[in-house]
Each structure stands twice: as C-alpha cells, then as structure tokens.
Amino acid sequence: MKRSFAILAFAALICSCCGYGSKTEQVSISRVDRMPAIPQPYKIIDWKQKAIDFDNYVFDFNSTLPAGPQIWIDNAQRNFPQATFGIYTAMKDDRQGPKRNGGEFHESLNTLHVLISAGLMGIDKTNQDGYNYVKMVQNYFNKDNGWNIVMNNTCPDVALLGGGYGRDWWYDVYPNILYYAVCELFPDVEGADEIMRTVADQFAKADEVLAGNYDYSYFDYSTMEGKVNWIPFQQDAAGGHGWVLLAAYNKYGDEKYLEHAKSAIAALDGQAESRFYEILLPMGIYTAARLNAEHGTNYDISKMFDWVFEGCTNPENSRTGWGITCDRWGDYDIHGLQGSLTDGGGFAFLMNSIDISWPFVPLVKYQPQYARAIGRWMNNLANACRFFYPDQLPDEHQCLPGMQDYTNSIIAYEGLRYENINPDPRYDRERTQGVHPVALGDGPMWYPTNPKESMFSTYSSGSAGILGAIVETTDVEGILRLNCNVTDFYADRKFPVYLMYNPYDEKREVTYSLGSESKDLFDIVSRTYVAKDVQDEAVICLEADNSAVIVELPAGTIISKDGKKLVADGQIIAY
C-alpha cells in the first residue's frame, strides 16, 4: 500500500521525539565540497546491465564479436593439480592468450574482479558450462614458491611479463582482498577455507614482523622480510593487511586476527602524510571506520580521507600526485575519479575509480557523519565513470574513434586523460590536440607488438558489477539510492541499508521502492523514522544538500538504545 507524504511526515515528526539521540553532524571532505552537486553533463548509465553484458561476453569461449573471445583455459596446473583460466588484461594483449607464454600469463586482479562482478550480479560461477571458476582461481594461491598468499600470477615465471613489475606490494596484497570477497560471494567451495586461513596467518605474521614500520616497496612473505627496490615505498599496504585481518576475525573469531588488524591500521593512522596509491588506503579507511564503531578504537578517519582525496604530495619515495580528480576537462565534469592529478594535467583510471566505491559506500553505516560527503562524491563518480566507454564520448574525444561495435561498448578504455600527450603514432596525438578529455589506455606501451586496440581494457571493465550492485537511480534525477550492504563483506547485514543524497539546495521528495512486505524506514543520520508501516513504495523527504542512511526494518520492529548505539532485533543499526 502507498502512504501519502503528509502521513509519513507526520509519523516522522512524532518519532523524532522518541529519544533515539541527536542528529549526526556531518563532517566535510574539503575536496568533495569543491565538486558539483550534480555534475554536467549528467547521466547515470545502467551499470547493472553493463556488468551483465560484460559477464556474458568475457565468459564466452566462442564469441563472434569483432574483438573475439577473451577467455582461455590454462592447463599448467601451478600450485594445484587442476586447470585454471585466463582472461586478457587488455584487448589483443600480445603477451597473453592460449598460445603465448604457455597460456600462463594472466592476472588475478582481472579474473578475481570479474568473479566479484558476477557474484554481485547474482551469477553463479561455481557451475557454469561445466566449469567451477571459483575453484579454478585457487591456482593463484602461490604455495609452490613458499609465499602462501594469493598473488597476481600463478608463478614467478610470468611475473616479470607485467602486472606487478616484478615485486610491487599492492599487487601482492590486493589479490587477497579480492579473494576474500569472492569467497563470501561464493561460499563453501572446496579448499577455499584453508587458503583464507593461511593468508590471514601470513598477514598476521607479516604485521608482527613489521611492528608498525611499513616503509618498504614490498614484503617477502616466504622469508618474512620487508624489501626495498626501485618501487616507491607503499606504507598503505597496512590498510590491505588490516582489511583482510578484520575479515578473518569476523569469519573465524580468532582474537589474533583482530589484534593484528588494529596493529596494521594503527600503523596506517600513524603515518605523517599521504602515501596513497591504488586501493589499499581506502580499504584501510573502511577498516578503521569499522574498528572505531565496533571495537572502540579512535583512528583519524578525516585525516585519511584527505590523504585519498587531496592525494600524495611528497615527491620523495612516493607516488606523487596520486589522488581524486576535482576538475572540469573541456565541457565535461571529471570529478571523483582516481588517478594521477599531475600527469599531463590529469590521468584517471576506470578500475581504480570504481573500486573505491566498494569500501567508501558501506563505511557510512559505521561512520554516518560522512554520509553527505560520500553521497555527493558518488554522484560525481557514478556519472564520470561512464566516460571511459566508447559509446559515452564523441569520437573526437577518443583515440580509437568509430570502434563502438568492436565489443558493443562492453569493454571500456583503461584511462581518461585531460589531454593526449603520447607521441606514439598509435595514439594519433595530432588529431586530438586541444581536445579535453581524451579516452585511451596504456596497453600499447606495455609490449612492443601490442596493437592500438589494447587501449580497451578488460581488467578495468571487470569492476562494473561493483557499481551495478551499488548504484540505483530514483524518480528524481540526481538522487541515487546506494546499496550500503553489497560490498560490506564479512559484516552483519540483517537489514537492507541505503545511502541517499539530495544534491539540490531545497528539500526534495523522492519515491523509495520497497517489496510487498511492510517496512519501517529509519534514518541513522537524523535518528528518526522517515516512514512507518509502508510497502511497495513510499514518498520520503530529503533535506537540501544532505544525506540519509536508511535502514529497512520489518514493520513494528522495536529500536532500543544500548549506550550510544541503537539496536533492532539484536543487531546494531547505529553506532
């Protein structure tokens, strides 16, 4: 049944006096405040359909699209006596495929991402066309070399071919985060539990050895030694350790994992400045938020958010200039993307940009004071990520014009530059002079015989399911409904939780879709009900330039106070 807004407003007014605590004051992220509330041109594509189309394409061994099949079977049986599979990192990458390097060069950052994307779309990868793809990725667990963690390649023989540059710490830590996510989306696969426990034990040992000092380029998990090479120091690896260890604690209940999760995040929090690169710092911020809420720690979340959004500024032994875009390139608002802020005026990357929505959207469940900032940023991110796809930019803004049909625009460009500064003839620099932005990719630079088509990036496009699961449009343009549960891995998710941001400078009414069962809608930002005993849909009111974090409760559920926490049916809904 529908309820009129007047009745809902009256119910919310009555309930605001029921003693659920004061409204959560919002904390700004200064760089997000400089982003437009509604970027222009504004369009939210159907990310869910994009992810489903991607999955249908890359798992088709007989695709007839002009780009051809993207998947093959690797029978080398590294680490485990079973076949695994590879997916091209980029279109026509000449290092890869069944006939190159023994079919063994493929990256877990690619294959694990595509399994996560599929799982978030509800696609079962444990039994598809006779393959258990989730079991097959266990070959990335490198036990033959003694590291005993999930790595980007199945063996050292192909590691120097690309994707990790030999040893690069984030390439060693991030696959383990991805694997943990895969295992929650596809539970109870034979052998997975042993791998997860071993990884957690390895990370706990590593954190103990490091003892708060993460000033290394990478870590040798076989000898348990920090190493320095030509790669800049990656102190934010502590955030990756913390994420995995907290997930392991929540899964297994071993206090050792919790203590080392705290230790790793303390090391992250204790850094003097931003060392942001790629994804491990955002994962650490999410972990810090959960530890603050669930375990009473007091890590400085605001400082860490600034480290990500403002970026790394120290030119000494760091990834200088890496941060979040906040700019208009030509006629396009390019705000909220991750990449270099300084390389040629700006160089953003699709995978990196999508992936930070994974930790930051669920974070507001634990630290709702950032709901407005994250909601505003996501309005920019969900819009700007479409510009990597060849059907979303005019041809003059692309290094490969007229190739929308190559993969039916299922596969995106790897990057988006402020301007094309590459002198290589495959990049057609002269034609794009004075054009802002330009869609392209680094693929042709990875290997001498890589064709220009390798600018299209399979590994970047494999993250589409993250946005597909999180982002939902409403009946009011510019107001999104963001699912806070789908990437909140290894957490209690008894009740649906959604973040909604109103980008307008006045209150707006928006239709909130529901199922057929009656619900009460409680906002943990205002600590009030926005609707009670509603089903099918409800009209709710959002404050100007502000967010609500709405928890769906079965109608009539009693909310009780436990100190400063709010509890519903035995689960904490607000900290």
Side-chain angles (χ1 to χ4, degrees), residues 170-187:
W170 84 272
Y171 271 104
D172 295 330
V173 173
Y174 193 34
N176 298 276
I177 295 175
L178 296 173
Y179 186 72
Y180 260 71
V182 167
C183 289
E184 194 186 55
L185 289 165
F186 303 100

Side-chain angles (χ1 to χ4, degrees), residues 80-127:
F80 292 93
Q82 63 175 21
T84 187
F85 68 101
I87 294 176
Y88 283 95
T89 298
M91 298 282 104
K92 306 294 185 182
D93 191 322
D94 206 28
R95 304 166 297 173
Q96 298 181 316
K99 298 180 181 179
R100 299 287 186 177
N101 296 298
E104 291 193 77
F105 181 40
H106 42 85
E107 300 185 62
S108 72
L109 259 68
N110 191 8
T111 54
L112 293 174
H113 262 114
V114 302
L115 292 184
I116 290 169
S117 187
L120 290 171
M121 294 298 94
I123 301 169
D124 183 6
K125 289 300 180 181
T126 64
N127 184 15

Side-chain angles (χ1 to χ4, degrees), residues 106-153:
H106 42 85
E107 300 185 62
S108 72
L109 259 68
N110 191 8
T111 54
L112 293 174
H113 262 114
V114 302
L115 292 184
I116 290 169
S117 187
L120 290 171
M121 294 298 94
I123 301 169
D124 183 6
K125 289 300 180 181
T126 64
N127 184 15
Q128 187 177 52
D129 301 324
Y131 294 106
N132 184 340
Y133 291 109
V134 181
K135 184 78 169 61
M136 293 167 78
V137 295
Q138 292 178 4
N139 292 58
Y140 290 109
F141 178 73
N142 277 231
K143 61 181 182 179
D144 290 349
N145 68 359
W147 281 50
N148 290 309
I149 61 172
V150 180
M151 300 183 74
N152 193 40
N153 307 113

Side-chain angles (χ1 to χ4, degrees), residues 550-563:
I550 297 171
V551 182
E552 294 183 15
L553 302 170
T557 301
I558 302 299
I559 297 176
S560 59
K561 293 184 70 176
D562 180 6

Side-chain angles (χ1 to χ4, degrees), residues 217-292:
S217 305
Y218 73 99
F219 191 85
D220 187 324
Y221 292 89
S222 62
T223 63
M224 288 291 156
E225 296 176 297
K227 300 288 187 178
V228 174
N229 59 16
W230 64 95
I231 302 295
F233 288 176
Q234 295 184 42
Q235 292 91 336
D236 56 354
H241 277 174
W243 190 99
V244 169
L245 289 164
L246 182 59
Y249 168 72
N250 288 322
K251 181 174 177 61
Y252 299 112
D254 189 330
E255 291 289 332
K256 172 182 68 176
Y257 300 145
L258 176 60
E259 290 311 306
H260 281 291
K262 291 179 180 179
S263 171
I265 300 304
L268 189 71
D269 188 40
Q271 294 171 18
E273 60 190 351
S274 175
R275 311 296 285 185
F276 177 43
Y277 184 60
E278 298 289 346
I279 185 61
L280 299 182
L281 176 56
M283 290 296 180
I285 296 173
Y286 160 86
T287 306
R290 283 195 66 176
L291 289 170
N292 283 354

